Amino acid sequence: MDLSKEARLHEFYSRLRDAPASGTRDEAFRLLEEMLNEVEDELTAIPFDPTNWQNDGRLYPPQKDSMRDVQDHPTVKRFRTRGHNSFIGANGAIEIQRVGGAVEFTKVGRDGKGLWE
Amino acid sequence: MIEKLKESIPGLVVVVDRPATEQAPWWVDLELNGHSASIEWRPGLGFGVSSSDSTVLGEGSDEVYPDVQATLERTTKLFLDRERTRPPERAALRELRGTRKMSQADLAERLNVRQAAISKLEARPNVGIDTLRSAIEAMGGHLELRARFSDEIFEIAQSRRARPKSDKHR
């Protein structure tokens, strides 16, 4: 039986936290993407279907075309998904927030700094 | 669409989250008296509508509509009736029949076959489209076929039904 989506998300955040910090935005984006796909491949039987944007029970990483600028923070980009914003800095720092601002996850970049420093 | 939503739902708070490029997904976040929903517009593909108590990172939109009118109607209903969206459920034939509270014998009678045939049908990993359509129509439903590509979705025109066996060698 599949783990619940909440349990899989918890595992994803745990692995993301333990992974080495990224040094660039691209590296951080790839880390987020590969880590979530890896967790889903292991912990759910729902196949990966990137053409499917309707809820099929599987969790998908943000897509590059969802990128937006962040006002007053030119080194930070925001990737919008349902109910969430994933912020990634040029230094590889990551912050995932629920729409509305509640922070779910943070990780500093390889330079030891967060997004907003 | 935004103006029509505001007209239909007085007091609705609407926030449009536009993408960096026009063809990328847009988001519209809606809130009224603690009830919230979001609309995801994918140009060329349609509108995703979601309204649930909690959302986990990475979930797609619960319900997808092809056009503005259908999206408006559904979103208005979500707020006026304080409803929540639900994602589609994956179901095998047996489970579908269960949701209709129908026994194998009931379905067999409607299809004019023996119960054993229904049992075999439900155990098969692959089912022909005509057979699937007949079973779902006998349950009171309608089968829709869609082809989904990364940039477009097509409704597949209903395929011709297979000729009866007696016609095969004409």
Side-chain angles (χ1 to χ4, degrees):
Chain A
M1 185 186 286
D2 286 357
L3 281 187
S4 70
K5 58 186 178 183
E6 291 82 3
R8 302 193 323 261
L9 182 71
H10 180 82
E11 178 63 18
F12 163 64
Y13 282 154
S14 178
R15 293 189 193 187
L16 197 56
R17 186 169 296 115
D18 292 344
S22 304
T24 66
R25 181 177 305 113
D26 280 350
E27 205 179 307
F29 187 89
R30 266 199 314 275
L31 173 66
L32 209 155
E33 180 182 49
E34 289 171 4
M35 194 66 80
L36 185 54
N37 286 338
E38 185 182 285
V39 166
E40 290 298 272
D41 285 344
E42 280 179 38
L43 300 181
T44 179
I46 302 167
F48 177 66
D49 183 358
T51 65
N52 185 13
W53 56 290
Q54 189 172 6
N55 193 344
D56 63 1
R58 188 179 166 114
L59 307 180
Y60 292 87
Q63 300 296 300
K64 285 211 162 120
D65 67 358
S66 68
M67 190 173 74
R68 284 118 162 103
D69 292 329
V70 179
Q71 195 173 7
D72 302 329
H73 295 278
T75 63
V76 180
K77 298 295 181 190
R78 176 173 65 95
F79 297 85
R80 175 66 200 261
T81 52
R82 175 184 165 185
H84 290 81
N85 285 299
S86 300
F87 295 87
I88 304 181
N91 66 336
I94 298 171
E95 184 167 295
I96 298 173
Q97 295 179 8
R98 272 181 238 127
V99 168
V103 176
E104 277 192 3
F105 177 86
T106 58
K107 187 176 179 72
V108 297
R110 195 171 298 144
D111 60 6
K113 294 182 179 175
L115 272 179
W116 315 113
E117 297 172 47
Chain B
M1 179 169 73
I2 305 299
E3 291 312 313
K4 286 188 179 173
L5 273 175
K6 287 180 175 177
E7 275 172 32
S8 309
I9 311 166
L12 183 69
V13 176
V14 179
V15 177
V16 177
D17 187 350
R18 65 184 305 151
T21 58
E22 291 291 313
Q23 288 307 306
W26 293 60
W27 287 90
V28 179
D29 297 301
L30 311 162
E31 194 271 333
L32 177 68
N33 298 331
H35 195 69
S36 61
S38 63
I39 298 173
E40 176 187 11
W41 175 42
R42 296 208 172 202
L45 292 180
F47 299 83
V49 178
S50 306
S51 175
S52 55
D53 289 325
S54 71
T55 298
V56 172
L57 175 75
E59 288 188 292
S61 291
D62 281 340
E63 301 172 7
V64 173
Y65 297 91
D67 55 51
V68 170
Q69 187 57 34
T71 304
L72 266 174
E73 286 173 9
R74 178 53 175 151
T75 306
T76 302
K77 193 167 195 312
L78 285 174
F79 279 93
L80 294 185
D81 297 346
R82 291 186 79 85
E83 281 184 13
R84 296 292 186 194
T85 53
R86 286 195 313 176
E89 296 204 30
R90 296 162 68 91
L93 267 180
R94 175 176 282 115
E95 290 156 327
L96 270 184
R97 180 173 53 74
T99 66
R100 305 293 102 195
K101 300 201 178 357
M102 195 181 276
S103 67
Q104 284 186 340
D106 291 334
L107 185 56
E109 189 180 332
R110 290 186 187 200
L111 287 171
N112 198 25
V113 299
R114 295 190 306 178
Q115 182 178 341
I118 300 301
S119 181
K120 276 189 185 171
L121 173 65
E122 290 180 351
R124 275 162 43 186
N126 293 303
V127 178
I129 291 173
D130 281 346
T131 305
L132 193 57
R133 179 184 296 108
S134 297
I136 289 171
E137 286 176 356
M139 294 182 214
H142 172 72
L143 179 66
E144 292 177 353
L145 294 176
R146 289 190 291 177
R148 187 175 60 234
F149 300 90
S150 60
D151 58 347
E152 287 179 284
I153 298 174
F154 295 91
E155 292 279 352
I156 304 297
Q158 192 160 346
S159 58
R160 275 181 286 172
R161 290 186 173 275
R163 287 177 300 157
K165 279 185 181 172
S166 58
D167 289 346
K168 255 190 183 170
H169 300 292
R170 283 191 185 171

